[in-house]
Amino acid sequence: MGARPQRGADSRRSAAGTRTCIRCATPVIKQLVGHRAALTVIADAEPIPLAQALRLVEPNRLMWCLAVLAGGGTELRWSCRRACGHAHVIEHRCPPEVGEFGRRPEGAMW
């Protein structure tokens, strides 16, 4: 069995990077979060207050801590659900006026 990689040496894990949503062009942060059962997270890039983030949390919409790294940049972390000192972001959802990707228009024959 090979040596286990150090915490920061995991090549599949990267610092959070700001991008734009391919459907609605909103600025988002995309990152692989976690070491064992990692999740690909796409969160809104704009940090929000903890109280507002807690109101937006749903069973399939999570809140994340946006931690500032010592070497610069930011990283998404599991939310601690208390005043931790980090900025908070919420999982991204496109606005309702953006249609569902791949959904047939109403009345379509195909």
Side-chain angles (χ1 to χ4, degrees):
M1 190 157 156
R4 192 171 180 186
Q6 295 296 319
R7 185 177 191 119
D10 193 351
S11 62
R12 67 187 190 123
R13 191 182 157 113
S14 62
T18 304
R19 302 177 176 148
T20 55
C21 176
I22 59 173
R23 292 182 54 215
C24 66
T26 302
V28 295
I29 298 170
K30 183 175 181 180
Q31 179 191 323
L32 190 64
V33 177
H35 291 284
R36 296 184 196 283
L39 299 172
T40 299
V41 176
I42 300 174
D44 291 333
E46 188 65 35
I48 57 176
L50 177 60
Q52 183 181 356
L54 288 171
R55 283 194 304 271
L56 293 171
V57 169
E58 297 173 3
N60 292 320
R61 189 176 193 194
L62 303 175
M63 176 180 69
W64 303 92
C65 288
L66 187 61
V68 177
L69 300 174
T74 56
E75 177 181 62
L76 293 175
R77 295 185 180 164
W78 293 107
S79 176
C80 54
R81 298 198 181 266
R82 60 180 168 81
C84 61
H86 297 131
H88 293 88
V89 292
I90 191 88
E91 263 187 85
H92 175 68
R93 283 207 182 144
C94 293
E97 55 269 8
V98 177
E100 286 186 39
F101 183 74
R103 188 174 179 193
R104 293 186 299 183
E106 191 155 337
M109 300 289 286
W110 65 93

XYZ file of all heavy atoms in Angstrom:
835
model
N 0.848 -1.165 0.000
C 0.000 0.000 0.000
C 0.892 1.225 0.000
O 1.838 1.308 0.775
C -0.885 -0.014 1.237
C -1.938 1.014 1.213
S -3.180 0.369 2.349
C -3.982 1.789 2.829
N 0.605 2.161 -0.886
C 1.438 3.347 -1.036
C 1.233 4.345 0.089
O 0.300 4.254 0.878
N 2.145 5.282 0.139
C 2.052 6.340 1.146
C 0.853 7.232 0.862
O 0.511 7.483 -0.285
C 3.329 7.166 1.144
N 0.231 7.668 1.905
C -0.935 8.535 1.793
C -0.483 9.965 1.498
O 0.454 10.450 2.130
C -1.683 8.487 3.113
C -3.018 9.088 3.076
C -3.680 8.771 4.372
N -4.995 9.356 4.375
C -5.789 9.354 5.395
N -5.398 8.801 6.520
N -6.965 9.889 5.328
N -1.099 10.648 0.523
C -0.665 12.008 0.216
C -0.925 12.955 1.380
O -1.860 12.770 2.152
C -1.506 12.400 -1.004
C -2.656 11.479 -1.001
C -2.215 10.225 -0.298
N -0.065 13.943 1.511
C -0.242 14.958 2.543
C -1.507 15.751 2.263
O -1.985 15.810 1.132
C 0.963 15.893 2.584
C 2.252 15.210 2.995
C 2.170 14.682 4.408
O 1.636 15.345 5.285
N 2.683 13.491 4.632
N -2.030 16.413 3.276
C -3.300 17.121 3.182
C -3.350 18.091 2.000
O -4.306 18.135 1.264
C -3.568 17.856 4.486
C -4.901 18.508 4.506
C -5.168 19.163 5.846
N -6.551 19.547 5.881
C -7.432 19.116 6.733
N -7.070 18.291 7.672
N -8.672 19.509 6.686
N -2.318 18.877 1.785
C -2.338 19.862 0.707
C -1.814 19.337 -0.610
O -1.791 20.042 -1.602
N -1.369 18.087 -0.665
C -0.735 17.560 -1.861
C -1.698 16.832 -2.790
O -1.283 16.314 -3.813
C 0.396 16.621 -1.460
N -2.950 16.750 -2.460
C -3.913 16.032 -3.280
C -4.099 16.755 -4.602
O -4.608 17.853 -4.658
C -5.240 15.911 -2.539
C -6.177 14.915 -3.201
O -5.891 14.438 -4.297
O -7.213 14.631 -2.585
N -3.684 16.141 -5.703
C -3.666 16.811 -6.993
C -5.055 17.079 -7.551
O -5.225 17.958 -8.374
C -2.866 15.979 -7.995
O -3.481 14.731 -8.183
N -6.070 16.333 -7.132
C -7.411 16.561 -7.681
C -8.138 17.691 -6.973
O -9.187 18.117 -7.389
C -8.245 15.289 -7.609
C -8.559 14.870 -6.207
C -9.227 13.516 -6.185
N -9.706 13.289 -4.846
C -10.956 13.036 -4.553
N -11.852 12.953 -5.491
N -11.319 12.862 -3.309
N -7.579 18.178 -5.900
C -8.196 19.229 -5.112
C -7.524 20.549 -5.451
O -6.321 20.646 -5.472
C -7.994 18.907 -3.636
C -8.787 19.744 -2.728
C -8.427 19.325 -1.323
N -8.742 20.421 -0.459
C -9.688 20.377 0.447
N -10.351 19.296 0.634
N -9.934 21.427 1.176
N -8.303 21.562 -5.709
C -7.705 22.846 -6.047
C -8.406 23.956 -5.286
O -9.515 23.799 -4.812
C -7.834 23.094 -7.554
O -9.190 23.147 -7.919
N -7.737 25.077 -5.185
C -8.342 26.235 -4.538
C -9.550 26.673 -5.348
O -9.631 26.450 -6.551
C -7.326 27.361 -4.433
N -10.492 27.292 -4.653
C -11.716 27.737 -5.312
C -11.380 28.740 -6.398
O -10.585 29.640 -6.191
C -12.649 28.361 -4.282
N -11.972 28.567 -7.546
C -11.740 29.483 -8.656
C -13.042 30.102 -9.121
O -14.050 29.423 -9.235
N -13.006 31.404 -9.391
C -14.211 32.083 -9.865
C -14.364 31.853 -11.358
O -13.418 32.005 -12.113
C -14.132 33.589 -9.563
O -13.919 33.755 -8.167
C -15.405 34.299 -9.955
N -15.553 31.493 -11.753
C -15.916 31.252 -13.152
C -17.285 31.854 -13.387
O -17.846 32.464 -12.499
C -15.949 29.755 -13.421
C -14.636 29.106 -13.124
C -14.691 27.640 -13.327
N -13.341 27.139 -13.091
C -13.065 25.988 -12.597
N -14.019 25.174 -12.280
N -11.822 25.610 -12.405
N -17.853 31.621 -14.555
C -19.229 32.030 -14.804
C -20.065 30.785 -15.070
O -19.579 29.821 -15.658
C -19.348 32.995 -16.006
O -18.757 32.391 -17.145
C -18.654 34.310 -15.719
N -21.300 30.814 -14.612
C -22.228 29.705 -14.836
C -22.467 29.580 -16.340
O -22.704 30.586 -17.019
C -23.535 29.980 -14.093
S -24.803 28.723 -14.384
N -22.429 28.353 -16.846
C -22.602 28.164 -18.289
C -24.041 28.402 -18.740
O -24.279 28.643 -19.918
C -22.136 26.758 -18.736
C -22.921 25.669 -18.019
C -20.649 26.592 -18.517
C -22.657 24.262 -18.521
N -24.997 28.374 -17.809
C -26.394 28.582 -18.171
C -26.849 30.016 -18.008
O -27.594 30.528 -18.822
C -27.285 27.658 -17.336
C -27.079 26.207 -17.708
C -27.962 25.280 -16.935
N -29.351 25.637 -17.039
C -30.229 25.505 -16.058
N -29.840 25.020 -14.899
N -31.474 25.832 -16.214
N -26.423 30.694 -16.917
C -26.965 32.027 -16.646
C -25.890 33.115 -16.584
O -26.212 34.277 -16.369
C -27.769 32.017 -15.350
S -26.783 31.713 -13.873
N -24.628 32.757 -16.762
C -23.496 33.693 -16.794
C -23.276 34.442 -15.473
O -22.624 35.462 -15.448
C -23.636 34.670 -17.942
N -23.783 33.924 -14.358
C -23.554 34.510 -13.041
C -22.171 34.081 -12.555
O -21.785 32.929 -12.758
C -24.625 34.008 -12.054
O -25.909 34.354 -12.550
C -24.428 34.587 -10.668
N -21.410 34.966 -11.879
C -20.128 34.536 -11.318
C -20.334 33.466 -10.238
O -21.163 33.632 -9.348
C -19.546 35.807 -10.703
C -20.296 36.932 -11.332
C -21.648 36.395 -11.683
N -19.614 32.354 -10.366
C -19.719 31.249 -9.421
C -18.321 30.775 -9.032
O -17.342 31.094 -9.696
C -20.534 30.064 -9.991
C -21.970 30.437 -10.231
C -19.901 29.520 -11.251
N -18.264 30.001 -7.954
C -17.026 29.362 -7.515
C -17.222 27.866 -7.698
O -18.227 27.309 -7.251
C -16.749 29.671 -6.035
C -16.560 31.158 -5.833
C -15.534 28.894 -5.545
C -16.529 31.575 -4.372
N -16.273 27.209 -8.350
C -16.360 25.768 -8.548
C -15.129 25.126 -7.912
O -14.003 25.545 -8.162
C -16.418 25.424 -10.032
C -16.593 23.950 -10.298
C -16.776 23.685 -11.765
C -16.964 22.193 -11.999
N -17.156 21.890 -13.413
N -15.380 24.099 -7.084
C -14.273 23.421 -6.408
C -14.690 22.023 -5.989
O -15.854 21.777 -5.683
C -13.848 24.206 -5.169
C -12.716 23.553 -4.400
C -12.504 24.210 -3.052
O -12.638 25.410 -2.915
N -12.186 23.406 -2.049
N -13.741 21.115 -5.946
C -13.941 19.791 -5.393
C -13.690 19.899 -3.895
O -12.596 20.255 -3.471
C -12.969 18.799 -6.032
C -13.196 17.337 -5.741
C -14.539 16.874 -6.314
C -12.076 16.514 -6.326
N -14.719 19.650 -3.067
C -14.622 19.826 -1.614
C -14.638 18.465 -0.931
O -15.510 17.656 -1.197
C -15.798 20.685 -1.088
C -15.733 20.811 0.421
C -15.795 22.049 -1.737
N -13.692 18.244 -0.045
C -13.614 17.005 0.722
C -12.437 16.159 0.294
O -11.896 16.320 -0.795
N -12.030 15.245 1.159
C -10.878 14.392 0.875
C -11.292 12.974 0.497
O -10.705 12.371 -0.368
C -9.944 14.335 2.088
C -9.252 15.633 2.335
N -8.197 16.068 1.577
C -9.476 16.612 3.231
C -7.787 17.243 2.002
N -8.562 17.592 3.020
N -12.287 12.425 1.146
C -12.675 11.031 0.880
C -13.902 10.972 -0.027
O -13.860 10.394 -1.086
C -12.947 10.310 2.184
C -11.723 10.191 3.045
C -12.030 9.375 4.293
N -11.024 9.544 5.321
C -9.849 8.988 5.314
N -9.495 8.236 4.292
N -9.000 9.179 6.296
N -14.988 11.511 0.385
C -16.212 11.530 -0.415
C -16.402 12.957 -0.919
O -17.261 13.681 -0.466
C -17.402 11.088 0.422
N -15.565 13.350 -1.839
C -15.557 14.734 -2.308
C -16.779 15.049 -3.162
O -17.319 14.193 -3.849
C -14.283 14.998 -3.099
N -17.206 16.290 -3.078
C -18.326 16.793 -3.859
C -17.831 17.908 -4.769
O -17.044 18.741 -4.341
C -19.400 17.386 -2.945
C -20.056 16.478 -1.934
C -20.947 17.304 -1.006
C -20.877 15.432 -2.638
N -18.311 17.931 -5.999
C -18.036 19.064 -6.854
C -19.081 20.111 -6.513
O -20.275 19.889 -6.674
C -18.129 18.688 -8.342
O -17.162 17.681 -8.604
C -17.863 19.893 -9.220
N -18.617 21.247 -6.010
C -19.509 22.301 -5.546
C -19.441 23.478 -6.494
O -18.360 23.914 -6.887
C -19.123 22.759 -4.121
C -19.977 23.926 -3.668
C -19.233 21.608 -3.155
N -20.598 23.981 -6.860
C -20.709 25.232 -7.609
C -21.532 26.158 -6.733
O -22.709 25.909 -6.481
C -21.372 25.028 -8.979
C -20.545 24.049 -9.813
C -21.539 26.366 -9.688
C -21.187 23.666 -11.118
N -20.883 27.210 -6.228
C -21.519 28.139 -5.291
C -21.488 29.546 -5.859
O -20.631 29.874 -6.684
C -20.796 28.107 -3.951
N -22.424 30.378 -5.410
C -22.417 31.783 -5.797
C -21.110 32.408 -5.335
O -20.622 32.127 -4.250
C -23.595 32.528 -5.168
C -24.935 32.094 -5.753
O -24.949 31.646 -6.920
O -25.954 32.199 -5.052
N -20.532 33.268 -6.164
C -19.233 33.871 -5.843
C -19.347 34.987 -4.813
O -18.383 35.303 -4.140
C -18.582 34.400 -7.113
N -20.526 35.567 -4.673
C -20.713 36.695 -3.755
C -20.964 36.201 -2.331
O -21.965 35.540 -2.070
C -21.896 37.544 -4.226
C -22.076 38.827 -3.486
C -20.930 39.808 -3.677
O -20.360 39.848 -4.772
O -20.608 40.503 -2.710
N -20.054 36.503 -1.385
C -20.295 36.106 0.003
C -21.528 36.807 0.572
O -21.841 37.938 0.202
C -19.040 36.577 0.735
C -18.018 36.779 -0.316
C -18.764 37.155 -1.556
N -22.232 36.112 1.471
C -23.416 36.672 2.108
C -23.292 36.503 3.615
O -22.553 35.635 4.082
C -24.717 36.009 1.576
C -24.691 34.494 1.775
C -24.952 36.347 0.123
C -25.971 33.790 1.362
N -24.027 37.297 4.401
C -23.984 37.146 5.861
C -24.475 35.768 6.294
O -25.303 35.145 5.630
C -24.917 38.246 6.370
C -25.058 39.213 5.244
C -24.861 38.427 3.989
N -23.966 35.304 7.427
C -24.316 33.977 7.935
C -25.822 33.809 8.111
O -26.389 32.790 7.719
C -23.600 33.719 9.262
C -23.906 32.403 9.956
C -23.525 31.227 9.070
C -23.194 32.321 11.285
N -26.492 34.804 8.671
C -27.940 34.701 8.906
C -28.699 34.515 7.594
O -29.629 33.706 7.505
C -28.445 35.936 9.637
N -28.310 35.232 6.566
C -28.967 35.107 5.265
C -28.675 33.737 4.653
O -29.562 33.111 4.080
C -28.508 36.220 4.325
C -29.197 36.191 2.983
C -28.708 37.289 2.057
O -27.899 38.129 2.439
N -29.195 37.277 0.835
N -27.445 33.266 4.793
C -27.087 31.952 4.259
C -27.894 30.848 4.933
O -28.367 29.924 4.275
C -25.592 31.709 4.435
N -28.062 30.950 6.240
C -28.851 29.942 6.966
C -30.304 29.922 6.511
O -30.940 28.871 6.486
C -28.756 30.180 8.469
C -27.410 29.833 9.107
C -27.369 30.313 10.549
C -27.152 28.343 9.023
N -30.850 31.073 6.144
C -32.237 31.126 5.646
C -32.369 30.472 4.276
O -33.422 29.949 3.934
C -32.716 32.570 5.575
C -33.103 33.163 6.905
C -33.887 34.453 6.763
N -33.197 35.462 5.982
C -32.347 36.373 6.464
N -32.080 36.402 7.751
N -31.774 37.254 5.674
N -31.305 30.495 3.481
C -31.357 29.946 2.127
C -31.058 28.449 2.066
O -31.277 27.815 1.047
C -30.371 30.694 1.222
C -30.703 32.159 0.951
C -29.551 32.840 0.224
C -31.994 32.280 0.155
N -30.560 27.867 3.156
C -30.213 26.446 3.183
C -31.475 25.597 3.059
O -32.487 25.867 3.692
C -29.450 26.101 4.478
C -29.316 24.602 4.650
C -28.096 26.758 4.482
N -31.394 24.576 2.212
C -32.471 23.607 2.006
C -31.836 22.220 2.001
O -30.605 22.111 1.975
C -33.152 23.868 0.653
C -33.823 25.221 0.550
C -34.339 25.495 -0.855
O -34.222 24.615 -1.732
O -34.847 26.596 -1.075
N -32.640 21.152 1.985
C -32.037 19.812 1.980
C -31.069 19.573 0.817
O -30.089 18.868 0.967
C -33.249 18.882 1.887
C -34.350 19.654 2.525
C -34.093 21.100 2.149
N -31.320 20.135 -0.339
C -30.436 19.933 -1.494
C -29.697 21.212 -1.893
O -29.242 21.341 -3.024
C -31.233 19.412 -2.688
C -31.726 18.014 -2.436
O -31.024 17.188 -1.880
N -32.959 17.745 -2.816
N -29.585 22.145 -0.986
C -28.849 23.393 -1.231
C -28.066 23.716 0.045
O -28.643 24.098 1.051
C -29.797 24.532 -1.582
C -29.056 25.767 -2.043
C -30.010 26.841 -2.464
N -29.299 27.888 -3.170
C -29.801 29.070 -3.424
N -31.033 29.350 -3.041
N -29.098 29.970 -4.069
N -26.756 23.575 -0.019
C -25.921 23.704 1.162
C -25.213 25.052 1.235
O -25.055 25.742 0.241
C -24.873 22.586 1.175
C -25.428 21.172 1.124
C -24.301 20.165 1.013
C -26.300 20.884 2.317
N -24.755 25.369 2.439
C -23.986 26.579 2.703
C -22.536 26.160 2.883
O -22.253 25.098 3.436
C -24.516 27.234 3.977
C -23.755 28.444 4.422
S -24.457 29.152 5.926
C -24.050 27.916 7.134
N -21.602 26.997 2.459
C -20.179 26.696 2.535
C -19.430 27.865 3.138
O -19.778 29.023 2.921
C -19.618 26.407 1.147
C -20.323 25.288 0.474
C -21.399 25.381 -0.352
C -20.059 23.901 0.596
N -21.810 24.145 -0.747
C -20.993 23.218 -0.180
C -19.100 23.181 1.295
C -21.007 21.842 -0.283
C -19.111 21.795 1.189
C -20.060 21.143 0.401
N -18.361 27.574 3.888
C -17.452 28.606 4.386
C -16.454 28.910 3.275
O -15.956 28.002 2.618
C -16.700 28.130 5.618
S -17.729 28.010 7.076
N -16.163 30.166 3.076
C -15.193 30.602 2.085
C -13.955 31.058 2.847
O -13.856 32.202 3.275
C -15.786 31.731 1.234
C -14.974 32.191 0.046
C -14.774 31.054 -0.945
C -15.675 33.348 -0.647
N -13.025 30.148 3.054
C -11.835 30.407 3.861
C -10.733 31.021 2.998
O -10.508 30.594 1.865
C -11.335 29.117 4.486
N -10.045 32.006 3.553
C -8.908 32.624 2.875
C -7.668 31.801 3.212
O -7.383 31.525 4.376
C -8.730 34.091 3.325
C -7.518 34.711 2.675
C -9.984 34.891 3.010
N -6.926 31.386 2.191
C -5.733 30.571 2.386
C -4.530 31.438 2.740
O -4.450 32.600 2.339
C -5.434 29.768 1.117
C -6.527 28.810 0.664
C -6.171 28.194 -0.676
C -6.744 27.727 1.700
N -3.595 30.874 3.470
C -2.396 31.604 3.894
C -1.573 32.064 2.691
O -0.988 33.140 2.706
C -1.545 30.725 4.807
N -1.544 31.281 1.632
C -0.773 31.628 0.442
C -1.537 32.491 -0.546
O -1.088 32.708 -1.665
N -2.699 32.964 -0.157
C -3.549 33.742 -1.063
C -4.621 32.859 -1.679
O -4.514 31.647 -1.698
N -5.642 33.450 -2.175
C -6.746 32.710 -2.755
C -7.752 32.282 -1.695
O -7.604 32.601 -0.513
N -8.752 31.554 -2.125
C -9.802 31.098 -1.221
C -10.070 29.618 -1.434
O -9.673 29.047 -2.447
C -11.118 31.883 -1.441
O -11.502 31.750 -2.813
C -10.966 33.340 -1.085
N -10.756 29.008 -0.472
C -11.097 27.595 -0.543
C -12.459 27.389 0.107
O -12.739 27.938 1.169
C -10.042 26.780 0.204
C -10.339 25.305 0.247
C -9.284 24.536 1.010
O -9.107 24.792 2.206
O -8.652 23.665 0.386
N -13.316 26.602 -0.549
C -14.605 26.249 0.037
C -14.388 25.143 1.062
O -13.627 24.210 0.833
C -15.573 25.753 -1.038
C -16.030 26.784 -2.060
C -16.885 26.107 -3.121
C -16.796 27.896 -1.403
N -15.072 25.258 2.197
C -15.011 24.240 3.244
C -16.416 23.926 3.713
O -17.319 24.743 3.576
C -14.176 24.728 4.426
C -12.729 24.942 4.064
C -11.918 25.299 5.256
N -10.536 25.492 4.871
C -9.657 26.094 5.619
N -9.998 26.576 6.799
N -8.424 26.229 5.201
N -16.590 22.746 4.318
C -17.877 22.395 4.888
C -18.313 23.497 5.832
O -17.531 23.984 6.623
C -17.798 21.090 5.666
C -17.534 19.898 4.805
C -16.366 19.212 4.725
C -18.432 19.256 3.914
N -16.494 18.183 3.835
C -17.746 18.190 3.318
C -19.756 19.496 3.555
C -18.334 17.349 2.387
C -20.334 18.656 2.629
C -19.637 17.605 2.056
N -19.540 23.858 5.784
C -20.055 24.922 6.637
C -20.089 24.488 8.084
O -20.444 23.364 8.407
C -21.460 25.293 6.180
O -21.988 26.239 7.033
N -19.714 25.399 8.981
C -19.682 25.057 10.397
C -20.967 25.502 11.112
O -21.149 25.186 12.272
C -18.459 25.681 11.062
S -18.350 27.437 10.811
N -21.839 26.227 10.445
C -23.149 26.650 10.971
C -23.066 27.477 12.253
O -23.929 27.430 13.098
C -24.070 25.460 11.191
C -24.367 24.740 9.927
C -25.593 23.874 10.079
N -25.848 23.174 8.858
C -26.668 23.606 7.917
N -27.304 24.716 8.047
N -26.838 22.902 6.826
N -22.008 28.199 12.421
C -21.886 29.120 13.550
C -20.963 30.246 13.122
O -20.364 30.181 12.064
C -21.342 28.418 14.794
C -19.982 27.804 14.600
C -19.512 27.115 15.879
N -18.351 26.305 15.605
C -17.111 26.767 15.511
N -16.871 28.048 15.663
N -16.103 25.961 15.262
N -20.831 31.252 13.933
C -19.969 32.374 13.598
C -18.516 31.915 13.651
O -17.922 31.808 14.718
C -20.209 33.527 14.552
N -17.941 31.590 12.519
C -16.587 31.036 12.473
C -15.565 32.053 12.001
O -14.383 31.773 12.020
C -16.553 29.823 11.557
S -17.013 30.204 9.860
N -16.004 33.190 11.528
C -15.084 34.194 11.033
C -14.871 34.138 9.529
O -14.286 35.046 8.950
N -15.319 33.062 8.870
C -15.196 32.969 7.422
C -16.378 33.671 6.751
O -17.445 33.810 7.350
C -15.207 31.508 6.958
C -14.071 30.707 7.466
N -14.251 29.484 8.055
C -12.742 30.937 7.478
C -13.079 28.991 8.403
N -12.144 29.860 8.065
N -16.184 34.061 5.508
C -17.309 34.499 4.694
C -18.118 33.244 4.332
O -17.599 32.126 4.403
C -16.797 35.189 3.437
N -19.373 33.409 3.982
C -20.219 32.265 3.642
C -20.816 32.443 2.259
O -21.143 33.556 1.849
C -21.344 32.101 4.677
C -20.819 31.724 6.014
N -20.422 32.662 6.941
C -20.592 30.516 6.571
C -19.987 32.047 8.016
N -20.081 30.741 7.816
N -20.941 31.317 1.547
C -21.572 31.306 0.234
C -22.590 30.172 0.220
O -22.539 29.258 1.041
C -20.545 31.141 -0.913
C -19.657 32.359 -1.035
C -19.712 29.889 -0.746
N -23.503 30.237 -0.722
C -24.562 29.246 -0.847
C -24.449 28.583 -2.211
O -23.968 29.195 -3.158
C -25.954 29.906 -0.629
C -27.066 28.884 -0.476
C -26.289 30.868 -1.737
C -27.271 28.443 0.922
N -24.867 27.325 -2.307
C -24.835 26.637 -3.592
C -25.614 27.426 -4.624
O -26.673 27.970 -4.344
C -25.434 25.236 -3.469
C -24.375 24.190 -3.274
C -24.927 22.795 -3.307
O -25.077 22.244 -4.395
O -25.191 22.281 -2.216
N -25.088 27.452 -5.830
C -25.677 28.256 -6.903
C -26.943 27.610 -7.462
O -27.003 26.403 -7.647
C -24.660 28.422 -8.036
C -25.210 29.127 -9.232
N -25.550 30.453 -9.206
C -25.499 28.679 -10.469
C -26.011 30.800 -10.397
N -25.992 29.735 -11.183
N -27.905 28.445 -7.702
C -29.114 28.060 -8.448
C -29.357 29.138 -9.484
O -29.365 30.330 -9.159
C -30.336 27.977 -7.536
C -30.349 26.730 -6.731
C -31.760 26.354 -6.366
N -31.730 25.150 -5.545
C -32.549 24.917 -4.560
N -33.459 25.805 -4.245
N -32.473 23.805 -3.883
N -29.563 28.739 -10.722
C -29.844 29.706 -11.777
C -31.193 30.367 -11.507
O -32.088 29.749 -10.930
C -29.870 29.021 -13.137
S -28.260 28.405 -13.658
N -31.356 31.630 -11.937
C -32.641 32.301 -11.760
C -33.753 31.549 -12.484
O -33.504 30.859 -13.473
C -32.429 33.679 -12.391
C -30.967 33.822 -12.572
C -30.366 32.463 -12.568
N -34.992 31.664 -12.000
C -36.099 30.903 -12.601
C -36.355 31.245 -14.068
O -36.870 30.411 -14.801
C -37.318 31.272 -11.756
C -36.867 32.215 -10.720
C -35.413 32.427 -10.856
N -35.986 32.451 -14.498
C -36.235 32.808 -15.895
C -35.341 32.060 -16.872
O -35.597 32.035 -18.065
C -36.115 34.319 -16.124
C -34.815 34.931 -15.703
C -34.817 35.426 -14.262
O -35.758 35.172 -13.506
O -33.838 36.063 -13.903
N -34.271 31.418 -16.374
C -33.413 30.591 -17.216
C -34.061 29.215 -17.277
O -34.243 28.569 -16.252
C -31.985 30.494 -16.627
C -31.128 29.563 -17.471
C -31.369 31.864 -16.523
N -34.417 28.762 -18.472
C -35.092 27.480 -18.620
C -34.210 26.317 -18.228
O -32.984 26.416 -18.216
N -34.820 25.196 -17.876
C -34.058 24.009 -17.511
C -33.325 23.491 -18.735
O -33.881 23.383 -19.819
C -34.983 22.923 -16.975
C -35.484 23.203 -15.588
C -36.282 22.039 -15.042
O -35.885 20.876 -15.294
O -37.292 22.294 -14.396
N -32.051 23.143 -18.550
C -31.224 22.639 -19.634
C -31.791 21.321 -20.145
O -32.060 20.412 -19.365
C -29.788 22.440 -19.145
C -28.854 21.990 -20.219
C -28.425 22.873 -21.179
C -28.431 20.677 -20.275
C -27.556 22.477 -22.169
C -27.568 20.265 -21.257
C -27.133 21.158 -22.214
N -31.990 21.226 -21.436
C -32.468 19.996 -22.037
C -33.965 19.787 -21.938
O -34.474 18.799 -22.408
N -34.681 20.722 -21.353
C -36.135 20.577 -21.213
C -36.818 20.977 -22.518
O -36.487 21.994 -23.116
C -36.612 21.454 -20.077
C -38.051 21.239 -19.730
C -38.394 22.031 -18.509
N -39.780 21.834 -18.196
C -40.451 22.545 -17.348
N -39.848 23.518 -16.687
N -41.708 22.302 -17.098
N -37.785 20.191 -22.930
C -38.511 20.494 -24.148
C -39.454 21.665 -23.920
O -40.087 21.760 -22.864
C -39.325 19.291 -24.607
C -38.491 18.131 -25.060
C -39.339 17.048 -25.622
N -40.250 16.564 -24.581
C -41.089 15.570 -24.722
N -41.172 14.940 -25.852
N -41.857 15.199 -23.738
N -39.571 22.557 -24.913
C -40.547 23.640 -24.793
C -41.959 23.066 -24.687
O -42.266 22.021 -25.256
C -40.397 24.437 -26.079
C -39.111 23.990 -26.680
C -38.822 22.629 -26.148
N -42.825 23.753 -23.955
C -44.192 23.271 -23.799
C -44.883 23.215 -25.145
O -44.798 24.131 -25.942
C -44.969 24.203 -22.870
C -46.283 23.618 -22.467
C -46.790 24.147 -21.162
O -45.979 24.618 -20.363
O -48.003 24.092 -20.947
N -45.547 22.100 -25.416
C -46.250 21.902 -26.681
C -45.367 21.345 -27.786
O -45.809 21.175 -28.901
N -44.099 21.068 -27.487
C -43.197 20.547 -28.500
C -43.597 19.127 -28.880
O -44.053 18.349 -28.042
C -41.762 20.562 -27.997
N -43.422 18.769 -30.132
C -43.816 17.463 -30.636
C -42.662 16.455 -30.613
O -42.844 15.330 -30.968
C -44.334 17.596 -32.067
C -45.544 18.507 -32.186
S -47.023 17.799 -31.485
C -47.423 16.582 -32.692
N -41.479 16.840 -30.223
C -40.332 15.926 -30.266
C -39.894 15.484 -28.923
O -40.111 15.977 -27.902
C -39.160 16.545 -31.024
C -38.585 17.752 -30.376
C -37.550 17.796 -29.510
C -39.018 19.099 -30.490
N -37.294 19.064 -29.107
C -38.194 19.896 -29.693
C -40.032 19.744 -31.199
C -38.336 21.263 -29.581
C -40.165 21.097 -31.090
C -39.320 21.844 -30.287
